[in-house]
Amino acid sequence: MTEDIPFDRSFDLKAGVVKEIAPQVRALCAGNSGPFTFEGTVSYIVGRGNVAIIDPGPDDERHIEALLSAVRGETVTHILVTHTHRDHSPAVPAIQAVTGAASYGEGPHRASRPLHIGEINPLDAAGDMDFRPDHVLRDGDLVSGSGWTLEAITTPGHCANHMAYALRETNSLFSGDHVMGWSTSIVAPPDGAMSDYMDSLHKLGKRSETVYFPGHGNVIRDATRFVQSYIRHRQGREESILHRISKGAADIPTLVRAIYIGLDPRLVGAAGLSVLAHLEDMVARGVVSTEGPASIAGTYRLSARRLIAYRLGD
Ligand SMILES: [Zn+2]
């Protein structure tokens, strides 16, 4: 697979060491590195004096201490959460206990669609089921403090309750795990949904922010182009899935082997779920057919409509 996204796999933060990375923005990495988290979750502090924290991170004592000491002498007025995966929101209660700040988010953790009969959510363990925001945010809601204004932007797909936050004063945006510079985002049904994810990418693609602060990895400096490359990457992935199905690949393990060459073995399960996410979307659009709802064990074929289009050389 050619690298069609200009990934940045360098990392400018040291775990536990807070750094001012832009006007009004300080970053602190939790150091929870791994195949899904890169060097770790990045928590952000917005403003000076009266500040907001975005994504306090995992329930990790060392990180919580580092975050609290980074804001010592200041007042934390808001805690915002991009989404409720366990590497982003579980530190909220510990930060609230010390600061008394109110929490903000789209809502509690939930799957992107109702589960099919007998289906289990393979990402259940990754969800923070305890988080309940004190204040529920809707698309377009504004949260402001001294010298900063954050606009909530619903961006479901990676997680049903995913929110990005635009920092109005500097035309930048906290992109959570929706757009990251080091890797593509994981979209795994039923926790996530590809049709929502693509809609959310197009939504950000139409906005003006040029700098993104992601949940993992470095700042993205050319965000507008980066989002377009993310969109093209997913469209390309969809095309290769369709191409492989047209050549006879009918199940997800076969598709993963054909498409993800040289994949880290720890990511094979996630790749299968990502292919399922695309198939679910294509079944909904009538491009691909399967028996019953799209599932990880299902067999897939081009829909009659798509087959005709292929034969006509479309
Ligand atoms: Zn994350």
Side-chain angles (χ1 to χ4, degrees), residues 32 36-37 40-42 55 82-83 85-88 158 162 176-178 180 182 215-216:
N32 51 330
F36 298 103
T37 55
T41 308
V42 182
D55 282 355
T82 61
H83 65 295
H85 282 153
R86 298 199 68 82
D87 52 329
H88 292 263
H158 169 71
H162 197 288
D177 286 6
H178 179 55
M180 301 181 288
W182 74 283
H216 306 265

Side-chain angles (χ1 to χ4, degrees), residues 9-262:
R9 293 203 176 86
S10 63
F11 193 53
D12 299 339
L13 299 175
K14 203 167 158 269
V17 181
V18 69
K19 188 176 173 188
E20 177 146 10
I21 53 166
Q24 299 276 52
V25 181
R26 283 168 281 170
L28 178 68
C29 176
N32 51 330
S33 60
F36 298 103
T37 55
F38 190 45
E39 299 288 326
T41 308
V42 182
S43 300
Y44 293 99
I45 302 163
V46 182
R48 278 279 174 193
N50 290 309
V51 303
I53 291 176
I54 298 181
D55 282 355
D59 185 12
D60 174 273
E61 217 171 290
R62 272 221 311 238
H63 178 62
I64 291 165
E65 261 173 43
L67 193 51
L68 287 170
S69 83
V71 295
R72 194 148 293 146
E74 300 178 283
T75 304
V76 180
T77 54
H78 303 72
I79 302 169
L80 296 100
V81 162
T82 61
H83 65 295
T84 47
H85 282 153
R86 298 199 68 82
D87 52 329
H88 292 263
S89 56
V92 170
I95 302 291
Q96 282 196 296
V98 175
T99 63
S103 64
Y104 294 73
E106 195 266 356
H109 192 81
R110 63 178 187 279
S112 286
R113 57 158 171 78
L115 268 61
H116 306 314
I117 294 165
E119 184 184 26
I120 52 148
N121 180 350
L123 261 75
D124 250 355
D128 171 6
M129 305 302 173
D130 298 327
F131 179 76
R132 298 280 179 282
D134 297 322
H135 299 278
V136 169
L137 293 173
R138 280 166 308 201
D139 192 45
D141 280 354
L142 299 179
V143 172
S144 54
S146 38
W148 54 263
T149 311
L150 292 165
E151 178 190 348
I153 307 156
T154 49
T155 39
H158 169 71
C159 189
N161 64 5
H162 197 288
M163 278 275 191
Y165 298 101
L167 178 57
R168 288 245 174 129
E169 284 76 7
T170 61
N171 202 33
S172 54
L173 179 141
F174 297 89
S175 56
D177 286 6
H178 179 55
V179 178
M180 301 181 288
W182 74 283
S183 167
T184 54
S185 178
I186 289 177
V187 181
D191 203 58
M194 189 57 73
S195 49
D196 293 346
Y197 186 75
M198 292 306 289
D199 288 348
S200 296
L201 281 184
H202 287 292
K203 184 176 184 178
L204 289 196
K206 291 188 194 111
R207 295 184 59 97
S208 66
E209 291 84 8
T210 51
V211 173
Y212 284 8
F213 307 111
H216 306 265
N218 274 346
V219 178
I220 304 167
R221 299 272 168 208
D222 192 359
T224 316
R225 267 179 53 195
F226 194 83
V227 168
Q228 294 310 322
S229 70
Y230 244 50
I231 291 171
R232 281 196 303 276
H233 171 80
R234 296 286 177 174
Q235 290 167 338
R237 175 59 44 79
E238 180 178 305
E239 278 308 314
S240 31
I241 291 171
L242 279 175
H243 175 70
R244 292 291 168 177
I245 294 177
S246 78
K247 298 278 178 230
D251 58 69
I252 289 178
T254 307
L255 288 165
V256 168
R257 276 194 302 275
I259 293 166
Y260 293 82
I261 310 294

